[in-house]
Amino acid sequence: MTRTATMHRATAETDIAVEVNLDGTGRADVATGIGFFDHMLDAFARHGRIDLAVRVAGDLQVDGHHSVEDAGIVIGQALGAALGDKAGITRFGSAFVPMDEALVLAALDISGRGQLHWAVEVPFGMVGDFDTQLAREFFIALAANAGITLHMRQLAGDNVHHILEAAFKACGRGQRAAVAIDGALAGEVPSTKGTL
């Protein structure tokens, strides 16, 4: 069984191509035009143990909003497509990730009902060339388009770089647990409804 997907989305604001392999080794090949965002997607892939290739050509002369949000859309679509009918997956996953003084929890359910519940206090500002407000926009788009119920909770933290990095790593690790194949399910969809 190959759990891979390739997605492409072009609008008047962005042109984005994504390749994902859920059973990869954590290899990331990312170029969004936003250095800190590249760093976060690399952390997401490495800790999620997915292979992720992302190419974004966006209207960065405006700002990074369209590039980051639309990347979340396309990555989410690719994750959803790679999961297929979700047969045999563990479905639920969570991870606490400490990053120095920061501590963030990500808990997710591959439910088919995409939604984000965000309790992460990210001060407004810039980390390198990344607008800190865009982290939430990315996770909203990712959850909605992948069909994931995603809870993100900050338990500690002052340094915004540490908080955001802990969030991306926690999401990756939680997702890694949720997409894992559960041999005890014998290929069944983990839902009383019979579908996700």
Side-chain angles (χ1 to χ4, degrees):
M1 179 176 68
T2 302
R3 299 193 300 167
T4 62
T6 300
M7 290 286 165
H8 178 249
R9 180 177 187 267
T11 71
E13 298 168 339
T14 61
D15 189 329
I16 300 175
V18 170
E19 295 177 19
V20 65
N21 178 358
L22 296 180
D23 301 304
T25 60
R27 189 183 73 243
D29 180 12
V30 178
T32 67
I34 304 171
F36 182 78
F37 188 42
D38 289 355
H39 178 45
M40 293 300 97
L41 292 179
D42 180 73
F44 173 75
R46 287 176 189 266
H47 287 270
R49 298 295 289 172
I50 63 171
D51 292 343
L52 179 66
V54 180
R55 290 290 177 273
V56 178
D59 57 354
L60 294 179
Q61 75 280 4
V62 176
D63 67 9
H65 192 286
H66 300 140
S67 292
V68 173
E69 181 177 33
D70 290 5
I73 291 170
V74 185
I75 294 169
Q77 290 172 341
L79 291 173
L83 280 164
D85 65 3
K86 306 175 187 75
I89 65 167
T90 301
R91 178 177 169 177
F92 301 97
S94 63
F96 287 95
V97 169
M99 182 76 184
D100 294 343
E101 88 297 342
L103 178 61
V104 176
L105 163 69
L108 56 96
D109 173 12
I110 301 175
S111 62
R113 300 180 302 277
Q115 52 190 280
L116 173 69
H117 301 279
W118 180 260
V120 181
E121 296 179 17
V122 182
F124 171 72
M126 300 294 289
V127 178
D129 50 358
F130 183 81
D131 178 346
T132 58
Q133 295 182 103
L134 298 182
R136 181 173 180 267
E137 300 305 317
F138 170 79
F139 286 115
I140 289 171
L142 180 79
N145 287 276
I148 294 171
T149 300
L150 175 60
H151 288 259
M152 303 287 291
R153 296 283 181 269
Q154 176 188 344
L155 286 84
D158 300 306
N159 181 292
V160 69
H161 185 134
H162 296 163
I163 294 166
L164 292 177
E165 189 162 346
F168 277 85
K169 288 178 177 177
C171 186
R173 285 189 170 260
Q175 177 185 267
R176 175 180 175 182
V179 305
I181 298 298
D182 182 346
L185 288 173
E188 294 179 15
V189 175
S191 170
T192 55
K193 296 186 291 294
T195 185
L196 287 171

mmCIF file of all heavy atoms in Angstrom, residues 7 9 14-18 30-32 34 37-38 41 44 52-57 64-79 137-139 141-142 145:
data_model
loop_
_atom_site.group_PDB
_atom_site.id
_atom_site.type_symbol
_atom_site.label_atom_id
_atom_site.label_comp_id
_atom_site.label_asym_id
_atom_site.label_seq_id
_atom_site.Cartn_x
_atom_site.Cartn_y
_atom_site.Cartn_z
ATOM 1 N N MET A 7 -0.154 17.195 -5.127
ATOM 2 C CA MET A 7 -1.189 18.210 -5.310
ATOM 3 C C MET A 7 -0.587 19.468 -5.918
ATOM 4 O O MET A 7 0.554 19.832 -5.603
ATOM 5 C CB MET A 7 -1.840 18.585 -3.970
ATOM 6 C CG MET A 7 -2.702 17.526 -3.361
ATOM 7 S SD MET A 7 -4.258 17.380 -4.233
ATOM 8 C CE MET A 7 -4.825 15.808 -3.590
ATOM 9 N N ARG A 9 -1.933 23.587 -6.858
ATOM 10 C CA ARG A 9 -3.003 24.593 -6.789
ATOM 11 C C ARG A 9 -2.425 25.924 -7.250
ATOM 12 O O ARG A 9 -1.423 26.395 -6.697
ATOM 13 C CB ARG A 9 -3.540 24.703 -5.366
ATOM 14 C CG ARG A 9 -4.660 25.719 -5.167
ATOM 15 C CD ARG A 9 -5.120 25.653 -3.709
ATOM 16 N NE ARG A 9 -6.284 26.457 -3.431
ATOM 17 C CZ ARG A 9 -6.258 27.727 -2.975
ATOM 18 N NH1 ARG A 9 -5.086 28.311 -2.747
ATOM 19 N NH2 ARG A 9 -7.368 28.379 -2.728
ATOM 20 N N THR A 14 -1.017 32.676 -5.574
ATOM 21 C CA THR A 14 0.013 31.671 -5.304
ATOM 22 C C THR A 14 -0.029 30.546 -6.330
ATOM 23 O O THR A 14 -1.071 30.283 -6.939
ATOM 24 C CB THR A 14 -0.166 31.036 -3.903
ATOM 25 O OG1 THR A 14 -1.441 30.386 -3.838
ATOM 26 C CG2 THR A 14 -0.045 32.071 -2.794
ATOM 27 N N ASP A 15 1.105 29.886 -6.467
ATOM 28 C CA ASP A 15 1.212 28.666 -7.270
ATOM 29 C C ASP A 15 1.986 27.675 -6.401
ATOM 30 O O ASP A 15 3.162 27.901 -6.083
ATOM 31 C CB ASP A 15 1.949 28.950 -8.582
ATOM 32 C CG ASP A 15 1.899 27.790 -9.551
ATOM 33 O OD1 ASP A 15 1.855 26.632 -9.097
ATOM 34 O OD2 ASP A 15 1.914 28.038 -10.777
ATOM 35 N N ILE A 16 1.308 26.597 -5.995
ATOM 36 C CA ILE A 16 1.869 25.706 -4.977
ATOM 37 C C ILE A 16 1.807 24.258 -5.444
ATOM 38 O O ILE A 16 0.776 23.788 -5.918
ATOM 39 C CB ILE A 16 1.108 25.857 -3.639
ATOM 40 C CG1 ILE A 16 1.222 27.305 -3.142
ATOM 41 C CG2 ILE A 16 1.647 24.872 -2.597
ATOM 42 C CD1 ILE A 16 0.436 27.609 -1.902
ATOM 43 N N ALA A 17 2.927 23.556 -5.291
ATOM 44 C CA ALA A 17 3.014 22.130 -5.580
ATOM 45 C C ALA A 17 3.500 21.406 -4.329
ATOM 46 O O ALA A 17 4.439 21.865 -3.666
ATOM 47 C CB ALA A 17 3.965 21.870 -6.743
ATOM 48 N N VAL A 18 2.838 20.296 -4.002
ATOM 49 C CA VAL A 18 3.164 19.525 -2.801
ATOM 50 C C VAL A 18 3.209 18.042 -3.144
ATOM 51 O O VAL A 18 2.339 17.546 -3.869
ATOM 52 C CB VAL A 18 2.116 19.768 -1.686
ATOM 53 C CG1 VAL A 18 2.314 18.794 -0.525
ATOM 54 C CG2 VAL A 18 2.182 21.204 -1.187
ATOM 55 N N VAL A 30 11.800 21.825 0.906
ATOM 56 C CA VAL A 30 10.818 22.899 1.040
ATOM 57 C C VAL A 30 11.405 24.220 0.573
ATOM 58 O O VAL A 30 12.514 24.582 0.966
ATOM 59 C CB VAL A 30 10.363 23.041 2.510
ATOM 60 C CG1 VAL A 30 9.376 24.176 2.679
ATOM 61 C CG2 VAL A 30 9.761 21.725 3.020
ATOM 62 N N ALA A 31 10.647 24.945 -0.242
ATOM 63 C CA ALA A 31 11.044 26.291 -0.670
ATOM 64 C C ALA A 31 9.780 27.128 -0.821
ATOM 65 O O ALA A 31 9.046 26.997 -1.800
ATOM 66 C CB ALA A 31 11.811 26.240 -1.983
ATOM 67 N N THR A 32 9.520 27.957 0.182
ATOM 68 C CA THR A 32 8.312 28.793 0.181
ATOM 69 C C THR A 32 8.621 30.269 -0.061
ATOM 70 O O THR A 32 7.696 31.061 -0.227
ATOM 71 C CB THR A 32 7.562 28.676 1.523
ATOM 72 O OG1 THR A 32 8.382 29.257 2.559
ATOM 73 C CG2 THR A 32 7.246 27.232 1.855
ATOM 74 N N ILE A 34 9.902 31.983 2.319
ATOM 75 C CA ILE A 34 9.872 32.518 3.685
ATOM 76 C C ILE A 34 10.742 31.592 4.534
ATOM 77 O O ILE A 34 10.339 30.469 4.859
ATOM 78 C CB ILE A 34 8.437 32.587 4.238
ATOM 79 C CG1 ILE A 34 7.536 33.416 3.323
ATOM 80 C CG2 ILE A 34 8.434 33.151 5.658
ATOM 81 C CD1 ILE A 34 6.062 33.350 3.673
ATOM 82 N N PHE A 37 9.393 29.896 7.743
ATOM 83 C CA PHE A 37 8.338 28.942 7.406
ATOM 84 C C PHE A 37 8.943 27.657 6.840
ATOM 85 O O PHE A 37 8.499 26.555 7.167
ATOM 86 C CB PHE A 37 7.358 29.589 6.426
ATOM 87 C CG PHE A 37 6.123 28.788 6.140
ATOM 88 C CD1 PHE A 37 5.432 28.115 7.141
ATOM 89 C CD2 PHE A 37 5.627 28.722 4.844
ATOM 90 C CE1 PHE A 37 4.283 27.387 6.855
ATOM 91 C CE2 PHE A 37 4.472 28.010 4.552
ATOM 92 C CZ PHE A 37 3.810 27.330 5.565
ATOM 93 N N ASP A 38 9.967 27.783 6.015
ATOM 94 C CA ASP A 38 10.674 26.601 5.524
ATOM 95 C C ASP A 38 11.204 25.778 6.700
ATOM 96 O O ASP A 38 11.092 24.541 6.719
ATOM 97 C CB ASP A 38 11.855 26.999 4.640
ATOM 98 C CG ASP A 38 11.444 27.575 3.297
ATOM 99 O OD1 ASP A 38 10.239 27.589 2.976
ATOM 100 O OD2 ASP A 38 12.349 28.020 2.560
ATOM 101 N N LEU A 41 8.272 23.920 8.378
ATOM 102 C CA LEU A 41 7.788 22.784 7.590
ATOM 103 C C LEU A 41 8.796 21.639 7.613
ATOM 104 O O LEU A 41 8.413 20.461 7.625
ATOM 105 C CB LEU A 41 7.485 23.213 6.156
ATOM 106 C CG LEU A 41 6.295 24.150 5.987
ATOM 107 C CD1 LEU A 41 6.113 24.523 4.522
ATOM 108 C CD2 LEU A 41 5.008 23.539 6.551
ATOM 109 N N PHE A 44 8.193 19.986 10.915
ATOM 110 C CA PHE A 44 6.929 19.243 10.830
ATOM 111 C C PHE A 44 7.148 17.902 10.131
ATOM 112 O O PHE A 44 6.692 16.849 10.600
ATOM 113 C CB PHE A 44 5.913 20.106 10.075
ATOM 114 C CG PHE A 44 4.619 19.437 9.750
ATOM 115 C CD1 PHE A 44 3.662 19.224 10.733
ATOM 116 C CD2 PHE A 44 4.332 19.038 8.452
ATOM 117 C CE1 PHE A 44 2.448 18.609 10.424
ATOM 118 C CE2 PHE A 44 3.125 18.430 8.130
ATOM 119 C CZ PHE A 44 2.193 18.214 9.124
ATOM 120 N N LEU A 52 8.181 15.213 2.601
ATOM 121 C CA LEU A 52 7.385 16.363 2.205
ATOM 122 C C LEU A 52 8.189 17.252 1.265
ATOM 123 O O LEU A 52 9.277 17.700 1.616
ATOM 124 C CB LEU A 52 6.974 17.169 3.445
ATOM 125 C CG LEU A 52 6.142 18.425 3.224
ATOM 126 C CD1 LEU A 52 4.758 18.082 2.662
ATOM 127 C CD2 LEU A 52 6.000 19.206 4.540
ATOM 128 N N ALA A 53 7.639 17.468 0.086
ATOM 129 C CA ALA A 53 8.221 18.425 -0.861
ATOM 130 C C ALA A 53 7.204 19.527 -1.083
ATOM 131 O O ALA A 53 6.029 19.249 -1.373
ATOM 132 C CB ALA A 53 8.554 17.741 -2.176
ATOM 133 N N VAL A 54 7.621 20.771 -0.934
ATOM 134 C CA VAL A 54 6.731 21.920 -1.084
ATOM 135 C C VAL A 54 7.436 22.988 -1.894
ATOM 136 O O VAL A 54 8.570 23.372 -1.575
ATOM 137 C CB VAL A 54 6.332 22.515 0.292
ATOM 138 C CG1 VAL A 54 5.400 23.704 0.109
ATOM 139 C CG2 VAL A 54 5.691 21.462 1.184
ATOM 140 N N ARG A 55 6.761 23.469 -2.919
ATOM 141 C CA ARG A 55 7.241 24.602 -3.711
ATOM 142 C C ARG A 55 6.141 25.651 -3.735
ATOM 143 O O ARG A 55 5.016 25.365 -4.140
ATOM 144 C CB ARG A 55 7.566 24.178 -5.155
ATOM 145 C CG ARG A 55 8.784 23.298 -5.283
ATOM 146 C CD ARG A 55 10.067 24.085 -4.988
ATOM 147 N NE ARG A 55 11.260 23.261 -5.028
ATOM 148 C CZ ARG A 55 11.739 22.564 -4.010
ATOM 149 N NH1 ARG A 55 11.105 22.559 -2.850
ATOM 150 N NH2 ARG A 55 12.853 21.882 -4.123
ATOM 151 N N VAL A 56 6.473 26.856 -3.290
ATOM 152 C CA VAL A 56 5.508 27.948 -3.258
ATOM 153 C C VAL A 56 6.067 29.136 -4.020
ATOM 154 O O VAL A 56 7.162 29.612 -3.728
ATOM 155 C CB VAL A 56 5.187 28.383 -1.809
ATOM 156 C CG1 VAL A 56 4.207 29.553 -1.813
ATOM 157 C CG2 VAL A 56 4.633 27.216 -0.995
ATOM 158 N N ALA A 57 5.302 29.607 -4.989
ATOM 159 C CA ALA A 57 5.568 30.896 -5.638
ATOM 160 C C ALA A 57 4.383 31.778 -5.275
ATOM 161 O O ALA A 57 3.256 31.529 -5.726
ATOM 162 C CB ALA A 57 5.680 30.727 -7.154
ATOM 163 N N GLY A 64 3.341 37.666 3.513
ATOM 164 C CA GLY A 64 3.410 36.219 3.475
ATOM 165 C C GLY A 64 2.096 35.498 3.660
ATOM 166 O O GLY A 64 2.055 34.270 3.593
ATOM 167 N N HIS A 65 1.008 36.241 3.863
ATOM 168 C CA HIS A 65 -0.257 35.614 4.249
ATOM 169 C C HIS A 65 -0.736 34.582 3.236
ATOM 170 O O HIS A 65 -1.032 33.434 3.591
ATOM 171 C CB HIS A 65 -1.332 36.688 4.464
ATOM 172 C CG HIS A 65 -2.566 36.171 5.122
ATOM 173 N ND1 HIS A 65 -3.479 35.381 4.464
ATOM 174 C CD2 HIS A 65 -3.039 36.327 6.382
ATOM 175 C CE1 HIS A 65 -4.467 35.075 5.290
ATOM 176 N NE2 HIS A 65 -4.221 35.633 6.455
ATOM 177 N N HIS A 66 -0.825 34.967 1.981
ATOM 178 C CA HIS A 66 -1.357 34.048 0.975
ATOM 179 C C HIS A 66 -0.476 32.820 0.824
ATOM 180 O O HIS A 66 -0.967 31.692 0.684
ATOM 181 C CB HIS A 66 -1.506 34.761 -0.377
ATOM 182 C CG HIS A 66 -2.418 35.939 -0.325
ATOM 183 N ND1 HIS A 66 -2.157 37.113 -0.996
ATOM 184 C CD2 HIS A 66 -3.584 36.145 0.332
ATOM 185 C CE1 HIS A 66 -3.117 37.977 -0.758
ATOM 186 N NE2 HIS A 66 -4.000 37.423 0.047
ATOM 187 N N SER A 67 0.826 33.014 0.859
ATOM 188 C CA SER A 67 1.751 31.884 0.699
ATOM 189 C C SER A 67 1.599 30.882 1.837
ATOM 190 O O SER A 67 1.550 29.663 1.608
ATOM 191 C CB SER A 67 3.196 32.386 0.639
ATOM 192 O OG SER A 67 3.426 33.127 -0.548
ATOM 193 N N VAL A 68 1.525 31.359 3.073
ATOM 194 C CA VAL A 68 1.441 30.465 4.232
ATOM 195 C C VAL A 68 0.082 29.781 4.299
ATOM 196 O O VAL A 68 -0.008 28.556 4.463
ATOM 197 C CB VAL A 68 1.742 31.235 5.538
ATOM 198 C CG1 VAL A 68 1.484 30.352 6.758
ATOM 199 C CG2 VAL A 68 3.176 31.755 5.529
ATOM 200 N N GLU A 69 -0.983 30.547 4.168
ATOM 201 C CA GLU A 69 -2.331 29.954 4.243
ATOM 202 C C GLU A 69 -2.555 28.955 3.111
ATOM 203 O O GLU A 69 -3.055 27.845 3.332
ATOM 204 C CB GLU A 69 -3.395 31.046 4.194
ATOM 205 C CG GLU A 69 -4.809 30.501 4.300
ATOM 206 C CD GLU A 69 -5.856 31.596 4.317
ATOM 207 O OE1 GLU A 69 -5.649 32.643 3.655
ATOM 208 O OE2 GLU A 69 -6.879 31.403 4.978
ATOM 209 N N ASP A 70 -2.179 29.334 1.894
ATOM 210 C CA ASP A 70 -2.404 28.449 0.752
ATOM 211 C C ASP A 70 -1.521 27.204 0.831
ATOM 212 O O ASP A 70 -1.928 26.121 0.406
ATOM 213 C CB ASP A 70 -2.171 29.199 -0.555
ATOM 214 C CG ASP A 70 -3.248 30.236 -0.840
ATOM 215 O OD1 ASP A 70 -4.132 30.448 0.026
ATOM 216 O OD2 ASP A 70 -3.209 30.847 -1.927
ATOM 217 N N ALA A 71 -0.325 27.330 1.395
ATOM 218 C CA ALA A 71 0.503 26.140 1.625
ATOM 219 C C ALA A 71 -0.219 25.190 2.572
ATOM 220 O O ALA A 71 -0.211 23.967 2.368
ATOM 221 C CB ALA A 71 1.864 26.528 2.180
ATOM 222 N N GLY A 72 -0.852 25.737 3.604
ATOM 223 C CA GLY A 72 -1.635 24.902 4.517
ATOM 224 C C GLY A 72 -2.763 24.180 3.806
ATOM 225 O O GLY A 72 -3.032 23.000 4.067
ATOM 226 N N ILE A 73 -3.419 24.885 2.887
ATOM 227 C CA ILE A 73 -4.503 24.272 2.108
ATOM 228 C C ILE A 73 -3.983 23.080 1.317
ATOM 229 O O ILE A 73 -4.539 21.977 1.372
ATOM 230 C CB ILE A 73 -5.144 25.303 1.160
ATOM 231 C CG1 ILE A 73 -5.923 26.361 1.958
ATOM 232 C CG2 ILE A 73 -6.060 24.618 0.141
ATOM 233 C CD1 ILE A 73 -6.391 27.541 1.119
ATOM 234 N N VAL A 74 -2.910 23.291 0.565
ATOM 235 C CA VAL A 74 -2.429 22.252 -0.350
ATOM 236 C C VAL A 74 -1.771 21.099 0.411
ATOM 237 O O VAL A 74 -1.967 19.928 0.060
ATOM 238 C CB VAL A 74 -1.488 22.845 -1.414
ATOM 239 C CG1 VAL A 74 -1.093 21.782 -2.429
ATOM 240 C CG2 VAL A 74 -2.155 24.014 -2.133
ATOM 241 N N ILE A 75 -1.026 21.390 1.460
ATOM 242 C CA ILE A 75 -0.460 20.315 2.281
ATOM 243 C C ILE A 75 -1.589 19.505 2.908
ATOM 244 O O ILE A 75 -1.552 18.266 2.929
ATOM 245 C CB ILE A 75 0.503 20.866 3.349
ATOM 246 C CG1 ILE A 75 1.740 21.484 2.689
ATOM 247 C CG2 ILE A 75 0.925 19.754 4.323
ATOM 248 C CD1 ILE A 75 2.616 22.285 3.641
ATOM 249 N N GLY A 76 -2.617 20.178 3.399
ATOM 250 C CA GLY A 76 -3.769 19.478 3.965
ATOM 251 C C GLY A 76 -4.453 18.592 2.940
ATOM 252 O O GLY A 76 -4.802 17.437 3.225
ATOM 253 N N GLN A 77 -4.653 19.103 1.731
ATOM 254 C CA GLN A 77 -5.264 18.305 0.676
ATOM 255 C C GLN A 77 -4.417 17.075 0.359
ATOM 256 O O GLN A 77 -4.949 15.976 0.158
ATOM 257 C CB GLN A 77 -5.444 19.148 -0.585
ATOM 258 C CG GLN A 77 -6.507 20.224 -0.466
ATOM 259 C CD GLN A 77 -6.524 21.169 -1.659
ATOM 260 O OE1 GLN A 77 -5.560 21.275 -2.417
ATOM 261 N NE2 GLN A 77 -7.630 21.894 -1.817
ATOM 262 N N ALA A 78 -3.098 17.254 0.315
ATOM 263 C CA ALA A 78 -2.211 16.132 0.015
ATOM 264 C C ALA A 78 -2.250 15.085 1.130
ATOM 265 O O ALA A 78 -2.282 13.876 0.858
ATOM 266 C CB ALA A 78 -0.787 16.638 -0.200
ATOM 267 N N LEU A 79 -2.256 15.533 2.377
ATOM 268 C CA LEU A 79 -2.344 14.588 3.493
ATOM 269 C C LEU A 79 -3.640 13.797 3.426
ATOM 270 O O LEU A 79 -3.654 12.574 3.600
ATOM 271 C CB LEU A 79 -2.240 15.328 4.827
ATOM 272 C CG LEU A 79 -0.887 15.939 5.166
ATOM 273 C CD1 LEU A 79 -0.994 16.787 6.426
ATOM 274 C CD2 LEU A 79 0.178 14.859 5.339
ATOM 275 N N GLU A 137 -3.123 30.673 10.977
ATOM 276 C CA GLU A 137 -3.754 30.565 9.653
ATOM 277 C C GLU A 137 -3.310 29.290 8.948
ATOM 278 O O GLU A 137 -4.108 28.625 8.270
ATOM 279 C CB GLU A 137 -3.417 31.786 8.794
ATOM 280 C CG GLU A 137 -3.878 33.111 9.377
ATOM 281 C CD GLU A 137 -5.361 33.130 9.684
ATOM 282 O OE1 GLU A 137 -6.160 32.642 8.839
ATOM 283 O OE2 GLU A 137 -5.734 33.624 10.767
ATOM 284 N N PHE A 138 -2.038 28.931 9.089
ATOM 285 C CA PHE A 138 -1.540 27.692 8.489
ATOM 286 C C PHE A 138 -2.263 26.489 9.075
ATOM 287 O O PHE A 138 -2.740 25.619 8.339
ATOM 288 C CB PHE A 138 -0.031 27.549 8.704
ATOM 289 C CG PHE A 138 0.490 26.193 8.326
ATOM 290 C CD1 PHE A 138 0.712 25.874 6.992
ATOM 291 C CD2 PHE A 138 0.725 25.220 9.293
ATOM 292 C CE1 PHE A 138 1.174 24.605 6.625
ATOM 293 C CE2 PHE A 138 1.182 23.955 8.936
ATOM 294 C CZ PHE A 138 1.404 23.657 7.600
ATOM 295 N N PHE A 139 -2.347 26.418 10.397
ATOM 296 C CA PHE A 139 -2.963 25.246 11.025
ATOM 297 C C PHE A 139 -4.466 25.175 10.764
ATOM 298 O O PHE A 139 -5.017 24.069 10.650
ATOM 299 C CB PHE A 139 -2.647 25.217 12.524
ATOM 300 C CG PHE A 139 -1.234 24.811 12.833
ATOM 301 C CD1 PHE A 139 -0.354 25.707 13.418
ATOM 302 C CD2 PHE A 139 -0.771 23.541 12.525
ATOM 303 C CE1 PHE A 139 0.956 25.341 13.702
ATOM 304 C CE2 PHE A 139 0.535 23.158 12.787
ATOM 305 C CZ PHE A 139 1.401 24.059 13.388
ATOM 306 N N ALA A 141 -5.909 26.099 7.939
ATOM 307 C CA ALA A 141 -5.991 25.579 6.571
ATOM 308 C C ALA A 141 -5.612 24.110 6.517
ATOM 309 O O ALA A 141 -6.259 23.309 5.822
ATOM 310 C CB ALA A 141 -5.104 26.407 5.648
ATOM 311 N N LEU A 142 -4.568 23.726 7.236
ATOM 312 C CA LEU A 142 -4.129 22.332 7.257
ATOM 313 C C LEU A 142 -5.231 21.424 7.791
ATOM 314 O O LEU A 142 -5.585 20.416 7.160
ATOM 315 C CB LEU A 142 -2.878 22.200 8.129
ATOM 316 C CG LEU A 142 -2.306 20.794 8.246
ATOM 317 C CD1 LEU A 142 -1.492 20.442 7.009
ATOM 318 C CD2 LEU A 142 -1.445 20.665 9.498
ATOM 319 N N ASN A 145 -8.444 21.195 5.490
ATOM 320 C CA ASN A 145 -8.271 20.515 4.212
ATOM 321 C C ASN A 145 -7.813 19.067 4.345
ATOM 322 O O ASN A 145 -8.012 18.272 3.422
ATOM 323 C CB ASN A 145 -7.319 21.306 3.324
ATOM 324 C CG ASN A 145 -7.991 22.551 2.795
ATOM 325 O OD1 ASN A 145 -8.680 22.505 1.799
ATOM 326 N ND2 ASN A 145 -7.826 23.669 3.494
#
